[in-house]
Amino acid sequence: MGTRGRVTKVSVADLAAELDVSTATVSRALNGSPAVRPELAQRIREHAEARGYVANRMARALSANVSRAFVGFVIPYVDTPAYSSVAAECARLLSADGTQLILTITENDPERELHQLKDLVASRVAGLIISPSTHILEASKQLLSNLPVVEFHRACGIAAPGVFSEDEQAMSEAVLHLAALGHTRIGYLGTPEALSNGAARLRGLHRGLELAGLDRGAVAMRLLEPTTDNGKRGVRDLLDGSRPPTALIVGGGALSIGAAQAVHESGRRLPDELSLVVYGHPSWFALSDPPLTRITVDYQDLALRAARLLNTVLDSGPARGGEPEPQFVTAQLHLAGSTGPPPKRAHASDRKSRR
Amino acid sequence: MGTRGRVTKVSVADLAAELDVSTATVSRALNGSPAVRPELAQRIREHAEARGYVANRMARALSANVSRAFVGFVIPYVDTPAYSSVAAECARLLSADGTQLILTITENDPERELHQLKDLVASRVAGLIISPSTHILEASKQLLSNLPVVEFHRACGIAAPGVFSEDEQAMSEAVLHLAALGHTRIGYLGTPEALSNGAARLRGLHRGLELAGLDRGAVAMRLLEPTTDNGKRGVRDLLDGSRPPTALIVGGGALSIGAAQAVHESGRRLPDELSLVVYGHPSWFALSDPPLTRITVDYQDLALRAARLLNTVLDSGPARGGEPEPQFVTAQLHLAGSTGPPPKRAHASDRKSRR
DNA sequence: TTGAAAGCGCTAACAT
DNA sequence: ATGTTAGCGCTTTCAA
């Protein structure tokens, strides 16, 4: 019993020969075609099982010349919940349909991205779930426009559906929250405007400022690539000025992690000396004391929608007809202990006014 | 110019026809065979380029009947750095060789795992990088023993090479560190002994106790599946007893995250009221105050070794000859502010002995 | 140096 | 209900 020796080597031809039927019958039986006598089908299946037969998906895909065997999953990073949790959930959902995920990490490098997209096309993936790199190449877009594609987190302007977090409102709420507390000098650390989600958050920021009656000039900004290091750097920059902001908003998950660390390292007490609003999965900030006011997104929901969207797109081919509808998962602002009224006095180095 | 219309559809046959040569010549030219006249080869390549030709990896793999097109990456979870960072690094390293990673998440479910392994075999993956589920099925082991496999983090007793973190020493050091500080009642929260790394950490614990001259009975233990929730639960259990430990060691990344949260929520001050040693990637604990004494592993190094090992295994076929050498990445104990002498007085409910 | 042809393992017309 | 056969796109003998 059991498969001894080397790797599986049984083919339909083998089974057919051994049972003295045709390969077509075997194939039909194995695929549950009703056109084969139940008893025979049963016998074939049992024999296949006994011989440890495992169908070759490549051959199958090649023959069918269209199959859902593989789907490409293209992301800039994977070591942050915004991506890893979506990857996990998509892999889970798609595997139920017998679709396998080919994982590809661009590190936000456009060249690498293009190369990987080509490889994915070469693998004849049925479709793609992608979070494009910041400065995606034209050639990459070309490739994408000829494939069933679902975007998430970031959009790159191709005619493909996508799932995104709707950050504008939460962002604007965050500004209003701080303004209501009395803050007038706010620092913003976010991702570049070239990133669709960076742009959305910026819109939210601006809208919040407008509603709060604050001038855009009231905000010191740093727009950086979303990495933990940039989070640290950005916060240090923002805090080091001669007239540092009394409140900080961070728009981006990886940035927030670094930002929270940098704030912590700066020794400023939250919220007495500084108010802080971070962005991202709660688990990253669970240990901080006080708990941080934060903007969160339900990544699982987002993943679910992405997987569903992909199925839709796979059923109807790439970018047919009109502009596809993007879907949105609403980000939520959660208040916690890291935001409060601004310090009573201006920063020491600012004015000489003692008490 | 550029690829218009539908998906890439150019085949070697097309190129051959267009250039009035045979498919064999095209294939040879494209694969850089020296057997083709350089000038012709050049012309073929240019034409292929111009026509936007992309070789079909499936067909290629099918024909070659052995290829490195795909490698399976099988892990129980992906939302923890212990896995996500290894995934990222492996994807990066393998993609350089033109190998794509098929990501598969078992959620530590043996049935699911078996099913996915079958699918991977069906996809004719060249090999597998796997972190087996806790209670892996015999059938799964069977499959694995007929494939080039590299294990990591966890070993399941098959004759395959692997990369693991060498936790024993760090674990034992942690115990000695606590013992030296004066702790005699230590709590241990770890993963089940059925997990190879759980067993290793336990050995380290025992060795530490022995060296410290402490009895094994001095340790209250909880061995749980590595999830954040279990981390919380375990800590609450350990701390709720009538004679709670004065120090806690956590052996496991996900467990540590939950554990740190639970400790935090319990309101105990570190290290005055409780000493705590956690395990895992520093980024998860960066925000905690005080910084936590921790055991860390260089996952990037681990990933690098895994990728290298895989290449070796792919070159020599599965489990040939003698037992393959496992590799180890040494875990490091970093001292920080969460460990200190035990509280002066025993727990109130413990003994009446004052001063 | 190049071409013709035989597969790789499977599915799907097209017979019977 | 079952068998025959022609591919899917590529590599690779075997001939020329």
Side-chain angles (χ1 to χ4, degrees):
Chain A
M1 68 207 115
T3 328
R4 266 277 59 89
R6 295 280 297 112
V7 88
T8 316
K9 274 275 147 218
V10 196
S11 71
V12 273
D14 296 334
L15 298 180
E18 288 159 13
L19 290 171
D20 210 49
V21 296
S22 75
T23 61
T25 305
V26 173
S27 173
R28 282 192 274 254
L30 260 24
N31 292 313
S33 158
V36 56
R37 188 158 38 90
E39 178 236 290
L40 213 208
Q42 182 63 15
R43 200 153 61 86
I44 293 178
R45 279 194 285 267
E46 275 167 7
H47 185 70
E49 171 80 71
R51 296 284 280 109
Y53 169 78
V54 183
N56 186 330
R57 309 184 96 202
M58 304 226 198
R60 179 173 294 184
L62 185 60
S63 171
N65 203 17
V66 53
S67 91
R68 298 192 180 185
F70 301 113
V71 158
F73 194 82
V74 185
I75 51 180
Y77 316 98
V78 77
D79 44 9
T80 192
Y83 293 108
S84 67
S85 61
V86 175
E89 190 65 8
C90 282
R92 206 173 73 80
L93 294 168
L94 292 179
S95 85
D97 304 346
T99 297
Q100 294 179 331
L101 223 60
I102 299 181
L103 176 69
T104 277
I105 294 160
T106 65
E107 300 178 43
N108 209 35
D109 173 348
E111 305 283 357
R112 181 186 282 277
E113 179 176 55
L114 175 58
H115 189 213
Q116 291 173 334
L117 286 177
K118 278 186 183 160
D119 276 358
L120 253 10
V121 170
S123 290
R124 296 299 187 268
V125 291
L128 240 42
I129 301 182
I130 183 175
S131 203
S133 72
T134 312
H135 304 290
I136 186 170
L137 301 176
E138 264 314 310
S140 299
K141 289 200 196 181
Q142 282 272 355
L143 282 186
L144 291 179
S145 56
N146 292 325
L147 227 54
V149 169
V150 172
E151 295 178 301
F152 75 99
H153 285 337
R154 310 162 161 198
C156 68
I158 58 176
V163 199
F164 309 96
S165 59
E166 158 53 316
D167 295 342
E168 226 175 302
Q169 192 182 330
M171 210 66 205
S172 139
E173 277 179 7
V175 175
L176 286 165
H177 168 58
L178 292 173
L181 288 169
H183 293 272
T184 54
R185 289 205 314 280
I186 296 174
Y188 176 69
L189 172 60
T191 54
E193 214 165 346
L195 243 44
S196 66
N197 53 8
R201 290 166 198 160
L202 222 41
R203 279 198 304 277
L205 184 80
H206 288 152
R207 178 161 170 71
L209 291 173
E210 191 185 342
L211 292 175
L214 290 175
D215 195 82
R216 287 197 186 183
V219 175
M221 285 213 243
R222 286 294 182 287
L223 302 184
L224 304 170
E225 279 300 319
T227 66
T228 306
D229 277 350
N230 279 339
K232 289 195 178 187
R233 193 165 310 137
V235 161
R236 285 199 279 256
D237 276 10
L238 287 169
L239 255 32
D240 271 7
S242 65
R243 206 159 173 273
T246 58
L248 233 43
I249 300 180
V250 189
L255 287 176
S256 290
I257 297 164
Q261 288 178 29
V263 167
H264 186 245
E265 285 163 11
S266 81
R268 284 180 174 71
R269 292 201 323 275
L270 301 177
D272 300 341
E273 299 176 331
L274 180 71
S275 284
L276 177 64
V277 179
V278 294
Y279 183 105
H281 199 280
S283 70
W284 286 97
F285 311 111
L287 294 182
S288 64
D289 195 18
L292 305 183
T293 295
R294 66 203 174 275
I295 296 174
T296 64
V297 178
D298 185 341
Y299 293 123
Q300 197 149 331
D301 184 24
L302 195 147
L304 180 68
R305 287 161 187 274
R308 285 222 193 101
L309 220 44
L310 184 72
N311 275 325
T312 313
V313 179
L314 288 183
D315 287 334
S316 58
R320 80 294 175 194
E323 209 66 6
E325 290 296 314
Q327 294 195 17
F328 291 96
V329 173
T330 313
Q332 303 283 350
L333 175 68
H334 297 268
L335 300 186
S338 68
T339 44
K344 281 285 156 28
R345 302 178 270 167
H347 191 275
S349 70
D350 188 26
R351 276 175 220 295
K352 277 278 169 60
S353 66
R354 311 205 49 195
R355 63 174 331 255
Chain B
M1 67 201 119
T3 328
R4 265 276 60 88
R6 296 280 296 111
V7 86
T8 316
K9 275 274 146 219
V10 196
S11 72
V12 274
D14 296 334
L15 299 180
E18 289 160 14
L19 290 172
D20 211 49
V21 296
S22 75
T23 60
T25 304
V26 173
S27 173
R28 282 192 274 254
L30 261 23
N31 292 313
S33 157
V36 56
R37 189 158 37 90
E39 179 234 292
L40 213 209
Q42 181 64 14
R43 200 153 61 86
I44 293 178
R45 278 193 285 266
E46 275 167 7
H47 185 69
E49 172 80 70
R51 296 284 279 107
Y53 169 78
V54 183
N56 185 330
R57 309 183 95 200
M58 303 227 203
R60 179 174 294 183
L62 185 60
S63 172
N65 204 15
V66 53
S67 92
R68 299 197 178 181
F70 301 113
V71 158
F73 193 82
V74 184
I75 52 180
Y77 315 98
V78 76
D79 43 10
T80 192
Y83 292 107
S84 66
S85 61
V86 175
E89 190 65 8
C90 282
R92 205 174 75 79
L93 293 169
L94 292 179
S95 85
D97 302 347
T99 297
Q100 293 178 330
L101 224 58
I102 299 181
L103 176 68
T104 276
I105 295 161
T106 64
E107 300 179 42
N108 209 38
D109 173 349
E111 305 283 355
R112 180 186 283 279
E113 178 176 56
L114 175 58
H115 188 209
Q116 291 173 333
L117 287 178
K118 278 184 183 160
D119 276 359
L120 254 9
V121 171
S123 290
R124 297 298 188 269
V125 291
L128 240 41
I129 301 182
I130 183 175
S131 202
S133 72
T134 311
H135 304 291
I136 186 170
L137 300 176
E138 264 315 309
S140 299
K141 290 200 197 178
Q142 281 272 355
L143 281 185
L144 291 178
S145 57
N146 291 326
L147 227 55
V149 169
V150 171
E151 295 179 302
F152 75 99
H153 283 337
R154 310 162 161 198
C156 68
I158 59 176
V163 200
F164 309 96
S165 59
E166 158 52 315
D167 295 342
E168 226 175 301
Q169 192 183 328
M171 210 66 204
S172 139
E173 277 180 8
V175 175
L176 287 166
H177 168 58
L178 291 173
L181 288 170
H183 294 270
T184 54
R185 290 204 315 280
I186 297 175
Y188 176 67
L189 172 60
T191 54
E193 213 166 346
L195 243 46
S196 65
N197 54 7
R201 290 167 199 159
L202 222 40
R203 280 197 302 276
L205 184 79
H206 289 152
R207 178 163 168 71
L209 290 173
E210 190 185 343
L211 292 176
L214 290 175
D215 193 82
R216 287 195 187 184
V219 175
M221 285 213 241
R222 286 293 182 286
L223 303 184
L224 304 170
E225 279 299 319
T227 66
T228 307
D229 277 350
N230 278 340
K232 288 194 178 187
R233 192 165 309 138
V235 160
R236 285 199 279 254
D237 277 9
L238 288 169
L239 254 33
D240 271 8
S242 66
R243 202 160 175 272
T246 57
L248 234 44
I249 301 179
V250 189
L255 287 176
S256 290
I257 297 163
Q261 289 178 28
V263 166
H264 187 245
E265 285 163 12
S266 81
R268 285 183 173 67
R269 292 201 323 275
L270 302 176
D272 299 341
E273 299 176 330
L274 181 73
S275 283
L276 177 64
V277 179
V278 294
Y279 182 106
H281 199 280
S283 70
W284 287 95
F285 311 111
L287 295 183
S288 64
D289 193 18
L292 305 183
T293 294
R294 66 203 175 275
I295 296 174
T296 64
V297 177
D298 186 340
Y299 293 124
Q300 195 149 332
D301 184 24
L302 195 147
L304 180 68
R305 287 162 188 273
R308 284 221 193 101
L309 262 182
L310 184 73
N311 275 326
T312 313
V313 179
L314 287 183
D315 287 336
S316 57
R320 81 293 175 195
E323 209 65 5
E325 290 297 313
Q327 294 196 17
F328 291 96
V329 173
T330 312
Q332 304 283 349
L333 175 68
H334 297 269
L335 299 186
S338 67
T339 44
K344 279 286 155 31
R345 299 179 272 166
H347 192 274
S349 70
D350 188 25
R351 276 177 219 292
K352 280 278 171 62
S353 68
R354 312 207 48 193
R355 76 171 317 260

PDB file of all heavy atoms in Angstrom, chain B residues 307-327:
ATOM      1  N   ALA B 307      16.098  28.721   1.460  1.00  0.00           N
ATOM      2  CA  ALA B 307      16.135  28.818   0.003  1.00  0.00           C
ATOM      3  C   ALA B 307      17.356  28.085  -0.555  1.00  0.00           C
ATOM      4  O   ALA B 307      17.267  27.351  -1.546  1.00  0.00           O
ATOM      5  CB  ALA B 307      16.161  30.284  -0.422  1.00  0.00           C
ATOM      6  N   ARG B 308      18.468  28.251   0.099  1.00  0.00           N
ATOM      7  CA  ARG B 308      19.687  27.571  -0.348  1.00  0.00           C
ATOM      8  C   ARG B 308      19.520  26.064  -0.253  1.00  0.00           C
ATOM      9  O   ARG B 308      19.867  25.322  -1.168  1.00  0.00           O
ATOM     10  CB  ARG B 308      20.869  27.993   0.523  1.00  0.00           C
ATOM     11  CG  ARG B 308      21.385  29.364   0.216  1.00  0.00           C
ATOM     12  CD  ARG B 308      22.916  29.379   0.250  1.00  0.00           C
ATOM     13  NE  ARG B 308      23.412  30.743   0.253  1.00  0.00           N
ATOM     14  CZ  ARG B 308      23.833  31.370   1.352  1.00  0.00           C
ATOM     15  NH1 ARG B 308      23.840  30.748   2.525  1.00  0.00           N
ATOM     16  NH2 ARG B 308      24.258  32.607   1.279  1.00  0.00           N
ATOM     17  N   LEU B 309      19.000  25.631   0.871  1.00  0.00           N
ATOM     18  CA  LEU B 309      18.791  24.203   1.078  1.00  0.00           C
ATOM     19  C   LEU B 309      17.898  23.636  -0.008  1.00  0.00           C
ATOM     20  O   LEU B 309      18.143  22.550  -0.544  1.00  0.00           O
ATOM     21  CB  LEU B 309      18.130  23.956   2.432  1.00  0.00           C
ATOM     22  CG  LEU B 309      19.025  23.559   3.571  1.00  0.00           C
ATOM     23  CD1 LEU B 309      18.207  23.312   4.817  1.00  0.00           C
ATOM     24  CD2 LEU B 309      19.799  22.317   3.210  1.00  0.00           C
ATOM     25  N   LEU B 310      16.873  24.392  -0.330  1.00  0.00           N
ATOM     26  CA  LEU B 310      15.955  23.915  -1.354  1.00  0.00           C
ATOM     27  C   LEU B 310      16.696  23.700  -2.662  1.00  0.00           C
ATOM     28  O   LEU B 310      16.510  22.683  -3.337  1.00  0.00           O
ATOM     29  CB  LEU B 310      14.807  24.890  -1.563  1.00  0.00           C
ATOM     30  CG  LEU B 310      13.775  24.367  -2.549  1.00  0.00           C
ATOM     31  CD1 LEU B 310      12.959  23.248  -1.927  1.00  0.00           C
ATOM     32  CD2 LEU B 310      12.861  25.472  -3.056  1.00  0.00           C
ATOM     33  N   ASN B 311      17.517  24.663  -3.002  1.00  0.00           N
ATOM     34  CA  ASN B 311      18.286  24.508  -4.229  1.00  0.00           C
ATOM     35  C   ASN B 311      19.134  23.247  -4.198  1.00  0.00           C
ATOM     36  O   ASN B 311      19.196  22.499  -5.178  1.00  0.00           O
ATOM     37  CB  ASN B 311      19.166  25.735  -4.469  1.00  0.00           C
ATOM     38  CG  ASN B 311      18.397  26.824  -5.169  1.00  0.00           C
ATOM     39  OD1 ASN B 311      17.525  26.540  -5.996  1.00  0.00           O
ATOM     40  ND2 ASN B 311      18.687  28.066  -4.833  1.00  0.00           N
ATOM     41  N   THR B 312      19.755  23.016  -3.075  1.00  0.00           N
ATOM     42  CA  THR B 312      20.560  21.801  -2.933  1.00  0.00           C
ATOM     43  C   THR B 312      19.699  20.561  -3.141  1.00  0.00           C
ATOM     44  O   THR B 312      20.044  19.662  -3.914  1.00  0.00           O
ATOM     45  CB  THR B 312      21.165  21.723  -1.509  1.00  0.00           C
ATOM     46  OG1 THR B 312      21.728  22.981  -1.186  1.00  0.00           O
ATOM     47  CG2 THR B 312      22.199  20.627  -1.440  1.00  0.00           C
ATOM     48  N   VAL B 313      18.587  20.547  -2.455  1.00  0.00           N
ATOM     49  CA  VAL B 313      17.708  19.389  -2.535  1.00  0.00           C
ATOM     50  C   VAL B 313      17.180  19.189  -3.949  1.00  0.00           C
ATOM     51  O   VAL B 313      17.074  18.062  -4.441  1.00  0.00           O
ATOM     52  CB  VAL B 313      16.526  19.543  -1.560  1.00  0.00           C
ATOM     53  CG1 VAL B 313      15.608  18.354  -1.663  1.00  0.00           C
ATOM     54  CG2 VAL B 313      17.037  19.681  -0.150  1.00  0.00           C
ATOM     55  N   LEU B 314      16.857  20.289  -4.599  1.00  0.00           N
ATOM     56  CA  LEU B 314      16.340  20.183  -5.963  1.00  0.00           C
ATOM     57  C   LEU B 314      17.399  19.593  -6.888  1.00  0.00           C
ATOM     58  O   LEU B 314      17.077  18.913  -7.854  1.00  0.00           O
ATOM     59  CB  LEU B 314      15.907  21.559  -6.468  1.00  0.00           C
ATOM     60  CG  LEU B 314      14.630  22.102  -5.851  1.00  0.00           C
ATOM     61  CD1 LEU B 314      14.270  23.434  -6.478  1.00  0.00           C
ATOM     62  CD2 LEU B 314      13.500  21.118  -6.008  1.00  0.00           C
ATOM     63  N   ASP B 315      18.644  19.885  -6.572  1.00  0.00           N
ATOM     64  CA  ASP B 315      19.715  19.367  -7.416  1.00  0.00           C
ATOM     65  C   ASP B 315      19.946  17.884  -7.196  1.00  0.00           C
ATOM     66  O   ASP B 315      20.443  17.192  -8.081  1.00  0.00           O
ATOM     67  CB  ASP B 315      21.012  20.127  -7.143  1.00  0.00           C
ATOM     68  CG  ASP B 315      20.956  21.525  -7.716  1.00  0.00           C
ATOM     69  OD1 ASP B 315      20.166  21.729  -8.665  1.00  0.00           O
ATOM     70  OD2 ASP B 315      21.666  22.403  -7.224  1.00  0.00           O
ATOM     71  N   SER B 316      19.582  17.411  -6.017  1.00  0.00           N
ATOM     72  CA  SER B 316      19.945  16.025  -5.726  1.00  0.00           C
ATOM     73  C   SER B 316      18.757  15.103  -5.514  1.00  0.00           C
ATOM     74  O   SER B 316      18.932  13.947  -5.155  1.00  0.00           O
ATOM     75  CB  SER B 316      20.827  15.988  -4.481  1.00  0.00           C
ATOM     76  OG  SER B 316      20.138  16.588  -3.407  1.00  0.00           O
ATOM     77  N   GLY B 317      17.562  15.601  -5.741  1.00  0.00           N
ATOM     78  CA  GLY B 317      16.390  14.750  -5.560  1.00  0.00           C
ATOM     79  C   GLY B 317      16.058  14.588  -4.104  1.00  0.00           C
ATOM     80  O   GLY B 317      16.811  14.994  -3.233  1.00  0.00           O
ATOM     81  N   PRO B 318      14.892  13.994  -3.830  1.00  0.00           N
ATOM     82  CA  PRO B 318      14.394  13.903  -2.468  1.00  0.00           C
ATOM     83  C   PRO B 318      15.149  12.862  -1.655  1.00  0.00           C
ATOM     84  O   PRO B 318      15.555  11.818  -2.164  1.00  0.00           O
ATOM     85  CB  PRO B 318      12.935  13.484  -2.652  1.00  0.00           C
ATOM     86  CG  PRO B 318      12.931  12.743  -3.934  1.00  0.00           C
ATOM     87  CD  PRO B 318      14.001  13.340  -4.789  1.00  0.00           C
ATOM     88  N   ALA B 319      15.314  13.171  -0.413  1.00  0.00           N
ATOM     89  CA  ALA B 319      15.815  12.244   0.603  1.00  0.00           C
ATOM     90  C   ALA B 319      16.710  11.129   0.080  1.00  0.00           C
ATOM     91  O   ALA B 319      16.425   9.960   0.229  1.00  0.00           O
ATOM     92  CB  ALA B 319      14.623  11.616   1.321  1.00  0.00           C
ATOM     93  N   ARG B 320      17.781  11.530  -0.531  1.00  0.00           N
ATOM     94  CA  ARG B 320      18.697  10.489  -1.023  1.00  0.00           C
ATOM     95  C   ARG B 320      19.644  10.105   0.107  1.00  0.00           C
ATOM     96  O   ARG B 320      20.072  10.935   0.891  1.00  0.00           O
ATOM     97  CB  ARG B 320      19.451  10.981  -2.252  1.00  0.00           C
ATOM     98  CG  ARG B 320      20.652  11.873  -1.959  1.00  0.00           C
ATOM     99  CD  ARG B 320      20.247  13.214  -1.354  1.00  0.00           C
ATOM    100  NE  ARG B 320      21.416  14.000  -0.981  1.00  0.00           N
ATOM    101  CZ  ARG B 320      21.357  15.054  -0.187  1.00  0.00           C
ATOM    102  NH1 ARG B 320      20.216  15.435   0.343  1.00  0.00           N
ATOM    103  NH2 ARG B 320      22.436  15.724   0.094  1.00  0.00           N
ATOM    104  N   GLY B 321      19.927   8.845   0.126  1.00  0.00           N
ATOM    105  CA  GLY B 321      20.931   8.349   1.058  1.00  0.00           C
ATOM    106  C   GLY B 321      20.673   8.711   2.506  1.00  0.00           C
ATOM    107  O   GLY B 321      19.545   8.648   2.977  1.00  0.00           O
ATOM    108  N   GLY B 322      21.737   9.104   3.188  1.00  0.00           N
ATOM    109  CA  GLY B 322      21.681   9.293   4.631  1.00  0.00           C
ATOM    110  C   GLY B 322      20.803  10.433   5.083  1.00  0.00           C
ATOM    111  O   GLY B 322      20.312  11.236   4.288  1.00  0.00           O
ATOM    112  N   GLU B 323      20.634  10.489   6.353  1.00  0.00           N
ATOM    113  CA  GLU B 323      19.842  11.541   6.988  1.00  0.00           C
ATOM    114  C   GLU B 323      20.445  12.892   6.638  1.00  0.00           C
ATOM    115  O   GLU B 323      21.647  13.106   6.800  1.00  0.00           O
ATOM    116  CB  GLU B 323      19.874  11.323   8.500  1.00  0.00           C
ATOM    117  CG  GLU B 323      18.641  11.816   9.224  1.00  0.00           C
ATOM    118  CD  GLU B 323      17.399  11.025   8.822  1.00  0.00           C
ATOM    119  OE1 GLU B 323      17.522  10.045   8.053  1.00  0.00           O
ATOM    120  OE2 GLU B 323      16.332  11.397   9.267  1.00  0.00           O
ATOM    121  N   PRO B 324      19.647  13.800   6.127  1.00  0.00           N
ATOM    122  CA  PRO B 324      20.174  15.117   5.765  1.00  0.00           C
ATOM    123  C   PRO B 324      20.443  15.968   7.009  1.00  0.00           C
ATOM    124  O   PRO B 324      19.785  15.806   8.027  1.00  0.00           O
ATOM    125  CB  PRO B 324      19.046  15.723   4.946  1.00  0.00           C
ATOM    126  CG  PRO B 324      17.817  15.023   5.402  1.00  0.00           C
ATOM    127  CD  PRO B 324      18.219  13.669   5.885  1.00  0.00           C
ATOM    128  N   GLU B 325      21.402  16.852   6.873  1.00  0.00           N
ATOM    129  CA  GLU B 325      21.782  17.709   7.999  1.00  0.00           C
ATOM    130  C   GLU B 325      20.805  18.852   8.182  1.00  0.00           C
ATOM    131  O   GLU B 325      20.585  19.627   7.256  1.00  0.00           O
ATOM    132  CB  GLU B 325      23.163  18.299   7.721  1.00  0.00           C
ATOM    133  CG  GLU B 325      24.290  17.301   7.782  1.00  0.00           C
ATOM    134  CD  GLU B 325      24.447  16.685   9.166  1.00  0.00           C
ATOM    135  OE1 GLU B 325      24.441  17.453  10.145  1.00  0.00           O
ATOM    136  OE2 GLU B 325      24.563  15.447   9.254  1.00  0.00           O
ATOM    137  N   PRO B 326      20.224  18.985   9.330  1.00  0.00           N
ATOM    138  CA  PRO B 326      19.430  20.190   9.580  1.00  0.00           C
ATOM    139  C   PRO B 326      20.350  21.367   9.858  1.00  0.00           C
ATOM    140  O   PRO B 326      21.492  21.188  10.274  1.00  0.00           O
ATOM    141  CB  PRO B 326      18.616  19.821  10.822  1.00  0.00           C
ATOM    142  CG  PRO B 326      19.395  18.761  11.501  1.00  0.00           C
ATOM    143  CD  PRO B 326      20.218  18.058  10.455  1.00  0.00           C
ATOM    144  N   GLN B 327      19.850  22.560   9.589  1.00  0.00           N
ATOM    145  CA  GLN B 327      20.641  23.745   9.896  1.00  0.00           C
ATOM    146  C   GLN B 327      19.976  24.521  11.019  1.00  0.00           C
ATOM    147  O   GLN B 327      18.773  24.442  11.201  1.00  0.00           O
ATOM    148  CB  GLN B 327      20.758  24.632   8.669  1.00  0.00           C
ATOM    149  CG  GLN B 327      21.546  23.995   7.545  1.00  0.00           C
ATOM    150  CD  GLN B 327      21.962  25.020   6.512  1.00  0.00           C
ATOM    151  OE1 GLN B 327      21.940  26.218   6.760  1.00  0.00           O
ATOM    152  NE2 GLN B 327      22.352  24.535   5.346  1.00  0.00           N
TER     153      GLN B 327
END
